[in-house]
Amino acid sequence: MVKLKQEDLLSIPNFGNKTLQECIDLLDRRKVPNPGWEIATKKNNKKTKS
């Protein structure tokens, strides 16, 4: 699995960002180097009131 690109993984049906994060967490626990996958996060652009 670590030989696949992130785009290839995300093209698998029912394999989304949550599953990708679970895989990253599992690899971290097993001390396998991260193959460069990153979770795309939406930045919160809400303005705070002063």
Side-chain angles (χ1 to χ4, degrees), residues 1-31:
M1 177 171 35
V2 296
K3 293 181 180 181
L4 294 175
K5 293 180 184 176
Q6 179 173 337
E7 297 83 27
D8 297 332
L9 291 173
L10 293 173
S11 69
I12 298 171
N14 296 319
F15 194 108
N17 283 334
K18 183 177 179 182
T19 308
L20 181 62
Q21 183 61 56
E22 291 170 350
C23 290
I24 291 170
D25 293 343
L26 178 65
L27 293 175
D28 286 346
R29 286 194 306 268
R30 302 227 182 239
K31 301 190 187 299

